[in-house]
Amino acid sequence: MGIVCPYTWDVPGGVQQHVGDLAEALLSLGHQVSVLAPCDTGAEGLPDFLVPAGRAVPVPYNGSVARLSFGVRAAARVRRWVRDGAFDVLHVHEPAAPSLSLLACWVAEGPIVATFHTSNPRSRAMAASAAALRTALEKISGRIAVSEAARRTLVEHLGGDAVLIPNGVAVHRYAGAEPLPGWPGEGGAIGFLGRLDEPRKGLAVLMDAFARLAPDRPGLRLLLAGPGDAEAAAVRLPAELRPRVVSLGRVSEQDKARAYRSVDVFCAPNLGGESFGIVLTEAMSAGAPVLASDIPAFRSVLAEGAAGELFPVGRADALAERAAALLDDPGRRSGLSAAAGRAVRAYDWSTVAEDVARVYETVLPPGAAAGPVTVGGEGAH
């Protein structure tokens, strides 16, 4: 099995997490897996299944900055990896992004599955490049979308359809975590995880809500986790409230799980552009009551509000009101935690990976021998 990740492995992100967890789940099911991704070849602690494809460059993409790898050198690495891998199936992620997945579609021949993660119904770049992408995308035998929003983006901009298989989460990784020392504390704590300097993650909305809540709640704290300048984010707050904002910076998987367990309410105030909501499933696995903005992807994960509270997008006043109600109602928080624990089972990788493997089976010709994926024009290997 060959899997291609278009975004650099050096910087944490939802797609990278998805690819890594999928690889581990497939390995546990007995598959052989090789993952190709942009990555600094000198990076330490890389998983055995990862094949670094060199450094990436930052490119504005889908309202964020994605670190991608493209060009002649990257194409040569993709070609060599496909040729030497002799994969039964090639699984590319985000093939519309100008990176390794698109290059793999161009150079490879054989069974190809693609997973689409992006949710952006107004993507001018994707619409404009659809014709140029068509020669690559026509090679794809099976399509997966991680959410209805991602499926709709695919249909509207690139045509065709996809089977819906959600992002997975390793529930066990978060369920047994212990809170960080001293958290959540008697005054209560609200948590946030994401890139602090990325506007669409909505941290500014949460900061404005915290400014409304904190004056009447002397012990209330805000726990942030993720890359970015926390001091710059906290500048929206009155000076006397800033010491009550604690930033962990970029965290390990272990500390991320502990962060979810360290708060009374986990808040996802995202403004849009999310196709799924992996932070929600992680928080749900950890047992944290969730308060999230009412965007379609989050509403779906939270079972239309049955497994977590929702508030209108961008409304700091509504966020503050819902957060206050949750902080004051331990019974409601306990009920949401229990409901989330039941709902998140559908997203466990033990289930999701088997669904993905079934898509692989649909694209393999009957009685296919090992290694049907080849480099175009070079024949079988």
Side-chain angles (χ1 to χ4, degrees), residues 182-191 210 213-223 244 262-265 323-324 326-330 333:
W183 290 86
E186 293 184 3
I190 299 173
F210 187 73
L213 288 166
D216 296 330
R217 298 170 182 269
L220 182 64
R221 292 183 291 173
L222 183 58
L223 182 64
R244 291 158 62 181
S262 299
V263 298
D264 296 293
V265 177
L326 286 173
L327 290 168
D328 293 337
D329 190 347
R333 297 202 307 272

Side-chain angles (χ1 to χ4, degrees), residues 177-245:
E178 294 292 330
L180 297 166
W183 290 86
E186 293 184 3
I190 299 173
F192 170 91
L193 188 142
R195 296 175 187 172
L196 308 186
D197 53 1
E198 188 171 332
R200 71 184 178 95
K201 298 301 181 183
L203 181 55
V205 179
L206 177 55
M207 286 292 184
D208 290 346
F210 187 73
R212 294 168 181 259
L213 288 166
D216 296 330
R217 298 170 182 269
L220 182 64
R221 292 183 291 173
L222 183 58
L223 182 64
L224 309 180
D229 188 344
E231 290 186 3
V235 76
R236 301 175 68 92
L237 297 175
E240 65 272 14
L241 297 182
R242 294 173 195 170
R244 291 158 62 181
V245 177

Side-chain angles (χ1 to χ4, degrees), residues 174-374:
Y174 300 94
E178 294 292 330
L180 297 166
W183 290 86
E186 293 184 3
I190 299 173
F192 170 91
L193 188 142
R195 296 175 187 172
L196 308 186
D197 53 1
E198 188 171 332
R200 71 184 178 95
K201 298 301 181 183
L203 181 55
V205 179
L206 177 55
M207 286 292 184
D208 290 346
F210 187 73
R212 294 168 181 259
L213 288 166
D216 296 330
R217 298 170 182 269
L220 182 64
R221 292 183 291 173
L222 183 58
L223 182 64
L224 309 180
D229 188 344
E231 290 186 3
V235 76
R236 301 175 68 92
L237 297 175
E240 65 272 14
L241 297 182
R242 294 173 195 170
R244 291 158 62 181
V245 177
V246 179
S247 176
L248 302 177
R250 184 176 293 167
V251 292
S252 65
E253 283 300 303
Q254 182 180 12
D255 286 342
K256 179 168 68 170
R258 297 187 71 187
Y260 287 127
R261 298 281 288 184
S262 299
V263 298
D264 296 293
V265 177
F266 175 76
C267 185
N270 305 51
L271 302 179
E274 305 294 337
S275 68
F276 182 67
I278 191 65
V279 294
L280 299 191
T281 57
E282 291 173 349
M284 293 161 69
S285 299
V290 172
L291 174 60
S293 54
D294 192 4
I295 59 177
F298 288 1
R299 191 185 317 124
S300 176
V301 169
L302 294 176
E304 305 298 320
E309 289 273 6
L310 296 163
F311 70 93
V313 180
R315 289 276 304 278
D317 57 338
L319 194 166
E321 180 183 345
R322 305 286 169 83
L326 286 173
L327 290 168
D328 293 337
D329 190 347
R332 173 62 175 161
R333 297 202 307 272
S334 178
L336 286 177
S337 179
R342 293 188 294 269
V344 80
R345 293 173 193 163
Y347 302 106
D348 190 77
W349 273 115
S350 61
T351 298
V352 174
E354 290 183 352
D355 291 340
V356 172
R358 280 193 281 271
V359 175
Y360 296 159
E361 294 171 1
T362 67
V363 303
L364 286 170
V373 177
T374 64

Side-chain angles (χ1 to χ4, degrees), residues 44-98:
E44 297 180 358
L46 299 178
D48 292 339
F49 56 71
L50 183 69
V51 176
R55 294 183 178 180
V57 295
V59 177
Y61 183 71
N62 192 30
S64 181
V65 176
R67 289 162 176 81
L68 311 170
S69 181
F70 204 76
V72 175
R73 183 175 297 180
R77 287 172 174 149
V78 171
R79 181 180 293 271
R80 183 167 59 249
W81 176 76
V82 171
R83 183 191 61 212
D84 296 343
F87 304 117
D88 294 302
V89 175
L90 186 64
H91 186 174
V92 299
H93 289 257
E94 294 287 60

